[in-house]
Amino acid sequence: MTPEQHNKYLGISHLAYGAFFLLLTGAMMAIFLALIIAVPKAPDDPPPIFFVPIMLLFLVIYCAMMLPSFIAGYGLLKRRKWAKTASIVAGVISGMSFPLGTAVCIYTFWFLFSEPGKTLYDRQAY
């Protein structure tokens, strides 16, 4: 495959990983909310509003983990100068999510640090 094709597939894989992570985040928030509503409350339990900051904290953390993948995917598909740096950051963050994120991370590092990736993004060095 050509470097341009690898770049396109890498951008698509970052966007697909971000979309999948967004779907899982939405499902987790819906389940968490359903549990808060459905579980019967004992008199000495904390009020349900107590769990909202915890849910918001999870939402912020998960958004911080998926946003770099969307940024990297956009940059790769538009062939921006900053796409290599954004992809490395997104690859490191996605590497924590086994197995899909790890696969995206490995593909990112393999492409960007190999000769095809260097020729595509480090043209001034050649």
Side-chain angles (χ1 to χ4, degrees):
M1 275 197 296
T2 65
E4 289 80 12
Q5 288 173 324
H6 277 297
N7 188 60
K8 176 183 170 188
Y9 294 143
L10 184 60
I12 291 170
S13 66
H14 273 287
L15 290 175
Y17 168 75
F20 181 69
F21 207 81
L22 180 65
L23 179 70
L24 289 179
T25 302
M28 187 185 81
M29 290 295 133
I31 291 170
F32 197 60
L33 188 62
L35 285 174
I36 290 172
I37 294 170
V39 173
K41 313 305 185 266
D44 57 340
D45 284 347
I49 196 74
F50 174 76
F51 296 102
V52 171
I54 297 170
M55 204 164 89
L56 290 175
L57 178 67
F58 277 115
L59 187 64
V60 167
I61 291 171
Y62 279 20
C63 286
M65 288 182 67
M66 80 177 90
L67 188 63
S69 288
F70 286 124
I71 293 170
Y74 172 80
L76 286 166
L77 291 177
K78 297 293 184 177
R79 301 269 307 271
R80 304 287 188 213
K81 292 186 287 186
W82 47 264
K84 182 176 181 178
T85 305
S87 298
I88 292 170
V89 170
V92 169
I93 292 172
S94 68
M96 293 186 277
S97 301
F98 184 79
L100 186 62
T102 306
V104 171
C105 175
I106 291 170
Y107 187 41
T108 300
F109 290 160
W110 172 81
F111 173 67
L112 292 177
F113 294 120
S114 67
E115 282 303 313
K118 288 179 183 176
T119 58
L120 195 62
Y121 283 102
D122 295 336
R123 290 196 188 271
Q124 61 270 22
Y126 284 91

